[in-house]
Structures are given as C-alpha cells and as structure tokens.
Amino acid sequence: MASLRAARLASLAVAGVWSLPLGRPPPAPCSAWAAAMEPAPRWLAGLRFDNRALRLLPVETPPPGPEGAPSAPRLVPGACFSRARPAPLQQPRVVALSGSALALLGLEAAGREAEAEAEAALFFSGNALLPGAEPAAHCYCGHQFGQFAGQLGDGAAMYLGEVCTAAGERWELQLKGAGPTPFSRQADGRKVLRSSIREFLCSEAMFHLGVPTTRAGACVTSESTVVRDVFYDGNPKHEKCTVVLRMAPTFIRFGSFEIFKPADEHTGRAGPSVGRNDIRVQMLDYVIGSFYPEIQAAHPHCSDQVQRNVAFFREVIRRTARMVAEWQCVGFCHGVLNTDNMSIVGLTIDYGPFGFLDRYDPDHVCNASDDAGRYSYSRQPEVCKWNLRKLAEALEPELPRELAEAALEEEFDSEFQRHYLQKMRSKLGLVRVAQDGDGALVARLLETMHQTGADFTNTFSLLSSFPLEPQSPGLAEFLTTLTSQCASLEELRLAFRPQMDPRWVLRSFYHGVCFQKGRGIQKQRSWGLLETASPRGPTQASSWEWGQLGSNCDLGLLVRGKPRDTDVGGAQVGWG
C-alpha cells in the first residue's frame, strides 16, 4: 500500500494538481473548496497551522486581473504580506531531507521513507498546499551595500504558515524558490540546484556548529529549468529549478521595519508605507509579544511602551552581537550583510555567496560583487553594528533615537567581546580561569596564522591534539603536523600578490580625483605617472614589495619602493 500511495503522490506531483491559473491564489486560501482541490497528506497530516503573522499584521489581497496579475511586480503599500501561490514544478523529487530539522515539526521518516519522500516532493515543492497553509510573500526594504534600496521583499520565497508543535514551539515554514511574487521585480522567483544545495547544507552545518541559524528541512529539485549565467561570462545555461524548505521562529528582519522610511537623502528611494506608524506599532507589538514574551510581560502597561521598546532593542543588540561573534569563531563569512538579511531574532539567514575561511585572512571577501570589501570577514562585527543603527532609525518614533544610540554603545561591543572571548577560550582549551591576557593571546595566534597562511579550522583542530598524555604523539611530530597547515612560500607569494594591474587602478583613481576637482589632465602627464607606479616601469619594484603592499598599491606611487606626494591639477594629494 505504501508504494502505491507513493506512486499516486508522485503522479500528482508531476501533474501539478492545479485547476487554477498559474500564480493566481484562490479567493479564500483556507476555504473548503480550496482544501478539496489539494491531495490529502498522510505523513504530513499531523502538521497544525496557526498563522499568527497573517492574523496580526496587515495582508494585501492581490488585485484582480488577468492570469499572472497577482505576482506582477508592484509596490505593496500599507501591508506586511501579500498573498501568493507557489508556481508548480515538473516532476519534483527530493534531493535531501534533514531528519533533525523535520523532527522539530514532529516528523519522523523512519519506516516510512517512500511515503515521506513522495509527500515532501509534492508539498515542499509547492505543487500542493498542506491543510491550513496560507502562502504569502513578506514585504520589506533594505540598505544594500550601505545604500537604501527601497522596497525589496520576498522575491523568491513564500511564507507557508506557522506550525505549532506538541513541544509548544512555533515554526514558520517558508519555500525558497517557489516562483514569482509581487517582490520579484524582473526576476523569475526561482532558485537552482547548486545554490539550493549550498543553502541546505550550510543551514544545517551552522546549526550543528552551534551558530544561531534558520534551519533547512528539505531540498526538492525538478525537471523545470531556468536560464542562469553561472560564471557571469556570457555563457548562460539551463539549470534545474529547486526549492528549499526553510524553518525559523520568524523570518522578519531589520528591513521589515524599513518599509516606513521616507525618501532617502542619497538614493531618493522610499519605503512603500511611509507615514504608517500604526503598522510600525502593530509590528512591534507582534514581534515583541511573539518572540520576546518575557519583555512584553515585564512591560504590560501602555504607558510603559517606550521602555518596553528599549528593552527589546537591547536584546536584539545582544543576540546580534552573539551571532556575529559565533561567525568569527568558526570563520564564517556571510557575504551580503544588508539590513534585509539581518534577523530580528538574531539568526543567520539568507545563505547566498557565503564562505568559510580556509587560509586565515581577516580581509577575506567571499562575495565577488563586493569590490570594496564592505562585508569582509574582519568587518562583519562593525557592519552588524551599523545595521543595528539603521534598525534604530526605522523604529522611530516608537524608539527615541537618543535611547537607541545609548543602548547600542552600551551593549554591542561589550557583548561581542565577551562572547567572542568565551568561545575562543573554549576553542583553545582555556576553560578553567579567564585571564586578562587571553584576548592578546588570541590576537597573537591569529596574527601568526595570518603571517604563515595557516588553515583556520585545521589549526584549531590540531591544537586539540597537543601532547599532554604519555600516549600522545611527541612534540616534534605535533609541530610538524601543525606547521603542515601553514602555506608554502609560493602560496604566500600568490596570496599576497596584487589582485589587479596597478597601472589601470591608479589611472582610474587618478582621473577620479581630477574629476572631483573639476580639472582636466594631460594624457601624457597621467601616463608618465602611471609608468612610474608600474612594477614594469622605471622603479622596477620587487615582487616582494608589491606583494606586501597588496591592494594598497592602488593608491601608491612608488619611487624607490616608497610612496611620495605628487601634484594633481595644482592640489597636493598624498598617495599611499
């Protein structure tokens, strides 16, 4: 019977089971008619939905129109969500299930593997809806690379609903890659197999590393394809559409509160709900009451709302500081630390161009589009603090700016340092007594790792085998093994070499200075200077000098290996 049931579910998945036009939600997502159109689950039948977010926050009903109109790109003013419908996939099939994540929902696949995979392929691809699910897309804004981008929203993800478990927990389920929404802009709302596997694996790896994170319950691929330029080299290819089931208490983020932002002085963009302080109050009440109940209980009276909001912001600061401290301790680089990728409950969310350190390099950048290194490994703590400041701005007037700034200065740095040192002491086995010099010890170790090109993870792993017991390897053997994690001289030379020809970088920068000064420059003059700066020019700086200077070569005119000042259009500019 189980195999017959599985075959039936698989055939339903292939068929798509829809009688509605693609992308158009039914008039009432939870109506008896809509439920009758969906296949009845068995393995997933125990999931009980209670979609509090859609009850307590404003939801836009898509405007009527032709097929595809509900998912047409548009501004969504006056709402936190817009109802949506996953677009069906051809022949969905399970790539992987996370038993430990699904167990949080009360799901156990042992002995029911065929049934579990068939239902996961059908329901977690979006080809059918579970009873009680109400798919919707969340509206939010964000500062991207330091600039306000206006409305963003769930362009490739859909809220399914919130599952309440027997353990008393509430888990929001989300399908990432489920198709277009009003926030997809010009994209197709799809994710592909390679990026989905990365998100699935990293979500679960981070959890098992002890880092606060969203979870990934399932990864489902299909025979549907989209075109992607994998290497951005002008050679696009067809890739399989894939969906990840993501789980978290909530996916509300800092950018969720930026929908009220008036026109930005730099970009001119504004949020879609400017002036709607009533919705900001609703969101604060919802977030604090649902995810910070101890704070809500400590401030029950309406007259105490400002102090409640200050206490809430302080706890968000502390959770964020602890989260980024955990990242630094495992060598994790997020890659896109925009305000729309910062969880309001202190979780790691949205695994895009992330990476982990191999050779320890504090300036490592894992995102190829981050040309300025804004989100480099070493800058993650300060960027998180910057994002918290933007959250504080978004909470005004419910959170007075001066109180928020005071809380940020009092809490973030101290909480980050405390948690970071606690974790690093643990990694080094310094668990008995905390000493004042522990921070300097950690800093010296990391500097040594940087100078020698040591592997970040393997170095800490090998330190755990330091010979203390008689049966342990000898000290000489241990040191040999440890130094094997360091880079060779050739590897270090390659690692520290300039990343681009300094002649062209310098020319661009030099002309930029002239442009800002409103002056022209003679071509012969500029090329003469560039010839001086080039390692192939008159100075013939050694490869070691260029390697040591690294990216600073972009701003340095070398004369006998040293920077000098030069005259730019009559203005003295120091290069170096």
Side-chain angles (χ1 to χ4, degrees), residues 359-360 362 440-455 459 482-483 485-487 492 496:
R359 179 182 64 84
Y360 177 69
L441 177 64
V442 171
R444 288 199 301 273
L445 171 62
L446 294 177
E447 179 59 23
T448 301
M449 291 168 62
H450 185 211
Q451 293 296 328
T452 60
D455 184 281
T459 296
L482 182 63
T483 55
Q485 296 304 317
C486 299
L492 287 174
F496 285 105

Side-chain angles (χ1 to χ4, degrees), residues 92 134 188 213 261 284 312-313 328 379 459 502 530 533 536:
E134 297 182 75
D188 52 31
T213 180
K261 180 177 172 57
L284 277 167
F312 156 69
F313 186 58
Q328 303 305 99
R379 294 191 65 185
T459 296
L530 294 170
R536 290 180 292 277

Side-chain angles (χ1 to χ4, degrees), residues 202 206 327-328 330-334 348 351 354-356 377 380:
C202 196
M206 292 284 273
W327 293 355
Q328 303 305 99
V330 298
F332 173 76
C333 303
H334 187 282
T348 311
Y351 293 93
F354 69 86
F356 286 87
Y377 167 78
Q380 291 183 135

Side-chain angles (χ1 to χ4, degrees), residues 283-307:
M283 290 181 65
L284 277 167
D285 290 346
Y286 167 73
V287 168
I288 298 173
S290 299
F291 311 111
Y292 297 86
E294 68 287 352
I295 293 176
Q296 183 64 50
H299 302 85
H301 304 297
C302 293
S303 60
D304 202 17
Q305 294 302 288
V306 170
Q307 291 307 312

Side-chain angles (χ1 to χ4, degrees), residues 84-109:
R85 183 91 189 214
L89 295 170
Q90 298 176 9
Q91 302 178 32
R93 64 184 183 278
V94 169
V95 175
L97 299 174
S98 170
S100 63
L102 294 174
L104 297 170
L105 305 177
L107 298 174
E108 175 57 62

Side-chain angles (χ1 to χ4, degrees), residues 97-105 169 171-176 199-209 211-219 244-251 347-351:
L97 299 174
S98 170
S100 63
L102 294 174
L104 297 170
L105 305 177
E169 296 178 331
W171 290 94
E172 179 181 323
L173 304 188
Q174 188 184 82
L175 297 182
K176 184 172 183 178
E199 169 134 5
F200 179 89
L201 291 177
C202 196
S203 299
E204 294 306 281
M206 292 284 273
F207 168 75
H208 290 286
L209 285 170
V211 180
T213 180
T214 58
R215 302 296 302 273
C219 181
V244 174
L245 173 71
R246 304 202 298 186
M247 302 161 46
T250 181
F251 284 90
L347 301 176
T348 311
I349 61 173
D350 291 341
Y351 293 93

